[in-house]
């Protein structure tokens, strides 16, 4: 079973920041937080991951709370092409590697 | 760099028939995954290979599903015989190794069983 809780859907205006929350209250100390997204009719795409510290790359920023029980994915300037299902996944970094997907958040970016 | 290739993209079969899917991972990626994604749900791992060995097949319905990765590169997933509930998108993914490495997904094969 997925170890994360996400809202089923969110809307965002084009050009504004999209903030996608994720709860992972049972996360263990050696588990990373990963974010993937899946655009319609495509395979999932890696966005970003982190353990304790906040992370930023060319696609997004990941903010992890100090107690690591929740996180937020931030798309700083959402475009129509960011419309997708976003999955928050907790994953043990040094074992196996499989991803356990939940239902995700369906983000709709509107003009 | 070429991505993960899958074929066919679409397949329609009748129940009790057999079907096979093919996956070519990114060059140099040792780990290969097959996921099943039923409409409206997130992908579910069926089997994970490390080179040509199986690491995890705990979610694979072994009475009808089989997979192989000969020579540690390409992989095939087979269903025989198919059931209506096997209708789904079958996604192949690869990564440089197990653990922390990000997974790259192919476009998937959409299977419809009638």
């Amino acid at each position: 079973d997925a170890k994360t809780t996400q809202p089923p859907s969110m809307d965002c205006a084009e050009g504004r920041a999209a903030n996608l929350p994720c709860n992972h209250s049972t996360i263990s100390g050696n588990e990373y937080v990963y974010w993937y997204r899946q655009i319609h009719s495509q395979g999932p795409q890696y966005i970003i991951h982190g353990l304790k510290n906040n992370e930023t790359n060319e696609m997004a920023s990941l903010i992890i709370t100090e107690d690591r029980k929740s996180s937020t994915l931030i798309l700083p300037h959402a475009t129509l092409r960011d419309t997708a299902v976003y999955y928050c996944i907790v994953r043990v970094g040094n074992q196996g590697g499989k991803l356990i997907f939940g239902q995700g958040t369906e983000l709709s970016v509107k003009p | 760099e070429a991505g993960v290739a899958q074929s066919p993209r679409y397949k329609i079969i009748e129940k009790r028939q057999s079907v096979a899917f093919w996956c070519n991972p990114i060059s140099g990626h040792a780990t290969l995954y097959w996921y099943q994604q039923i409409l409206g749900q997130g992908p579910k791992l069926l089997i994970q290979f490390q080179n040509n060995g199986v690491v995890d097949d705990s979610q694979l319905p072994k009475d009808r599903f089989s997979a192989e990765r000969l020579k540690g590169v390409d992989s095939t997933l087979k269903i025989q015989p198919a059931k209506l509930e096997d209708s789904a998108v079958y996604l192949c993914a690869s990564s440089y190794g197990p653990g922390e490495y990000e997974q790259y997904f192919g476009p998937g094969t959409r299977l419809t069983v009638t």
Side-chain angles (χ1 to χ4, degrees):
Chain A
D1 290 339
K3 299 175 67 174
T4 62
T5 304
Q6 299 177 252
S9 63
M10 292 181 62
D11 290 341
C12 178
E14 188 178 19
R16 305 296 294 268
N19 297 281
L20 291 90
C22 179
N23 286 321
H24 31 80
S25 58
T26 61
I27 193 169
S28 300
N30 63 346
E31 289 182 318
Y32 289 74
V33 179
Y34 278 74
W35 285 83
Y36 279 73
R37 74 179 182 183
Q38 188 171 24
I39 295 169
H40 183 62
S41 295
Q42 297 183 20
Q45 175 192 24
Y46 166 82
I47 301 173
I48 198 167
H49 76 282
L51 183 63
K52 294 180 182 179
N53 300 320
N54 299 336
E55 303 287 344
T56 295
N57 63 20
E58 65 278 4
M59 289 182 68
S61 294
L62 174 61
I63 308 298
I64 303 174
T65 58
E66 192 168 345
D67 63 8
R68 301 210 324 123
K69 293 185 177 182
S70 66
S71 61
T72 301
L73 179 75
I74 301 172
L75 308 178
H77 305 287
T79 71
L80 299 179
R81 288 175 297 198
D82 292 321
T83 293
V85 177
Y86 287 77
Y87 296 100
C88 170
I89 300 164
V90 294
R91 180 191 192 196
V92 178
N94 59 356
Q95 297 177 16
K98 71 179 180 182
L99 299 171
I100 300 177
F101 289 83
Q103 297 289 96
T105 295
E106 186 167 9
L107 175 69
S108 296
V109 181
K110 300 181 185 298
Chain B
E1 178 182 83
V4 176
Q6 291 188 247
S7 68
R9 291 296 314 276
Y10 305 92
K11 190 73 176 179
I12 302 174
I13 61 172
E14 296 181 351
K15 59 184 179 182
R16 292 188 289 274
Q17 288 187 323
S18 62
V19 65
F21 313 126
W22 173 82
C23 173
N24 180 235
I26 292 173
S27 177
H29 280 192
T31 309
L32 185 146
Y33 310 80
W34 282 102
Y35 290 85
Q36 179 193 57
Q37 186 172 24
I38 294 173
L39 186 65
Q41 299 181 17
K44 180 185 80 171
L45 180 73
L46 292 175
I47 189 167
Q48 175 184 346
F49 291 94
Q50 179 65 21
N51 296 308
N52 60 352
V54 176
V55 174
D56 184 348
D57 63 356
S58 58
Q59 297 295 306
L60 187 73
K62 299 180 185 64
D63 58 334
R64 298 184 300 106
F65 286 64
S66 64
E68 60 182 10
R69 191 183 184 198
L70 300 177
K71 302 180 181 179
V73 181
D74 293 3
S75 177
T76 56
L77 176 69
K78 298 179 182 178
I79 307 175
Q80 181 179 11
K83 292 185 176 181
L84 296 177
E85 58 260 37
D86 299 331
S87 294
V89 175
Y90 291 85
L91 294 158
C92 179
S94 70
S95 63
Y96 181 74
E100 187 181 344
Y101 296 101
E102 65 185 88
Q103 295 181 21
Y104 295 83
F105 285 79
T109 297
R110 181 176 297 278
L111 174 67
T112 301
V113 182
T114 63

